[in-house]
Amino acid sequence: HVQLVESGGGSVQAGGSLRLSCVTSGYTWTRGSYCMAWFRQAPEKKREVVATLLLGDRVPYYADSVKGRFTVSQDNAKNTLYLDMENLEPEDTAMYYCAAARWSWDIGCASMTYTYWGQGTQVTVS
């Protein structure tokens, strides 16, 4: 079955950097097969999409709030999705989740309903 396991969260000061990793298993990473995404949810706030990427694609989507600071990437050999976060701000404090869904031609990865989720990793910026 599909599993997603996040890691890399932690506590950093404003302006610092973190790299989140999401190791996946249970499905094959082939070009165009799955949308991958990072979401986050802060206390008492709605979950929001941070970045999405279609496997094998080179044009990711970023929320406006993270453009220029966050970078999503994939390592096909390791079935791993990354989120490099730079110049972190206190507003980035949240639980970060990795998610996956089978790609559908009529829905972009940024608008998709995601099927598989990791357990989350906490990011705290002070």
Side-chain angles (χ1 to χ4, degrees), residues 18 20-21 35 41-42 50-51 62 64 66 75 77 87 101 108 118 121:
L18 282 174
L20 305 185
S21 299
C35 285
Q41 187 167 19
V50 174
Y62 296 102
D64 287 343
V66 306
D75 185 331
N87 196 19
T121 186

Side-chain angles (χ1 to χ4, degrees), residues 47-100:
R47 185 173 61 196
E48 62 175 349
V49 62
V50 174
T52 68
L53 183 67
L54 176 62
L55 288 182
D57 198 0
R58 295 188 178 187
V59 186
Y61 162 86
Y62 296 102
D64 287 343
S65 58
V66 306
K67 279 182 182 176
R69 301 188 299 120
F70 290 13
T71 303
V72 61
S73 61
Q74 58 187 295
D75 185 331
N76 291 346
K78 297 181 179 179
N79 283 12
T80 300
L81 185 74
Y82 299 102
L83 185 67
D84 288 293
M85 307 184 293
E86 298 179 344
N87 196 19
L88 283 160
E89 304 168 352
E91 292 75 21
D92 296 316
T93 295
M95 185 71 79
Y96 283 71
Y97 298 91
C98 175

Side-chain angles (χ1 to χ4, degrees), residues 32-35 54 101-112:
S33 61
Y34 278 81
C35 285
L54 176 62
R102 286 189 179 274
W103 177 76
S104 177
W105 66 271
D106 58 341
I107 304 174
C109 290
S111 302
M112 185 162 292

